Amino acid sequence: MDGSRYRDRIGQLVEPGERVLAYAKADTAKGAPPPLPLDAAKPEAPVGRLSIGAALLNLISPLISWGWGDRLVDRILWGIAGRGDPGAAASRLHHALDPPRPELAVRDILIVATDRRLLVCVSGPMKLLSSREDDERSVDETGIAWSASRAEVASARVGWHRLNPKRLRIDFTDGSWLSFTVPIAESGGPLRAVAAALPD
């Protein structure tokens, strides 16, 4: 779904007088994420030989998975997608977009820079073979999943990461950071506009 379809809905989500500077449809970058917040449910980590076996099984078959193995495979294949202490801005943002027990529905993620805040919005669930009404319902159900004041954002930039030249990295003033990407075939212009609209 084209990100421009969300323009009116984003305008409804901001506060009165708040001005939208830029927005982009993106996905959280693949790779090792920041740790979960302290109050989040943590998956149990296997120990000893089971740990090595879990990592190998994750590489061999995506249907067999352990949280620890997933994190190791992500680190090897994709690198680091975010850093920060548990409960830091990047930790809370990633947890808001990727809860421990995610639903199977596909949703769009929108990064929105306003003159007051950084907003991360999530669309309503989408269907693989959707009608126009389904698409409109998904847009209408879009809501704010996480927000931070502009003062909490230290910088934002778009650059290369491995084979992807369009990776948006948002650094927060608490020292944490999180990355977002778009598919190679899509334009990186909206991500660059968001980066330009956030503090340097």
Side-chain angles (χ1 to χ4, degrees):
M1 183 185 295
D2 180 11
S4 63
R5 301 179 99 171
Y6 291 102
R7 185 180 296 118
D8 291 340
R9 179 60 182 154
I10 291 169
Q12 296 167 1
L13 293 173
V14 297
E15 297 170 348
E18 186 174 14
R19 191 165 51 96
V20 175
L21 304 175
Y23 69 94
K25 188 174 80 165
D27 291 313
T28 52
K30 292 189 182 342
L36 292 171
L38 296 173
D39 58 350
K42 295 180 182 173
E44 292 183 21
V47 293
R49 292 184 183 168
L50 186 56
S51 299
I52 296 167
L56 291 175
L57 283 172
N58 280 38
L59 283 169
I60 295 167
S61 173
L63 299 176
I64 303 170
S65 119
W66 281 276
W68 182 90
D70 286 340
R71 289 189 297 278
L72 180 60
V73 170
D74 283 346
R75 185 178 288 266
I76 292 168
L77 294 179
W78 304 104
I80 308 296
R83 284 252 167 99
D85 295 329
S91 167
R92 290 181 281 114
L93 170 53
H94 189 268
H95 182 65
L97 296 175
D98 190 20
R101 292 182 187 84
E103 59 180 8
L104 297 177
V106 175
R107 296 172 183 266
D108 281 339
I109 296 171
L110 301 161
I111 313 298
V112 183
T114 77
D115 57 349
R116 299 178 191 171
R117 297 180 291 169
L118 168 66
L119 306 175
V120 181
C121 303
V122 177
S123 74
M126 297 182 297
K127 297 179 180 176
L128 183 61
L129 300 173
S130 61
S131 65
R132 173 177 238 146
E133 291 78 21
D134 292 331
D135 289 346
E136 289 173 357
R137 186 178 313 112
S138 175
V139 170
D140 290 343
E141 292 177 5
T142 299
I144 298 172
W146 187 86
S147 69
S149 70
R150 288 179 65 87
E152 293 177 71
V153 179
S155 66
R157 63 186 177 279
V158 176
W160 278 88
H161 178 75
R162 298 198 177 180
L163 297 177
N164 191 338
K166 298 171 279 191
R167 179 161 139 152
L168 170 66
R169 174 174 158 159
I170 300 175
D171 289 85
F172 298 97
T173 54
D174 62 10
S176 65
W177 60 271
L178 191 64
S179 295
F180 297 87
T181 60
V182 294
I184 295 290
E186 291 186 17
S187 169
L191 286 182
R192 284 189 279 277
V194 168
L198 289 170
D200 279 334

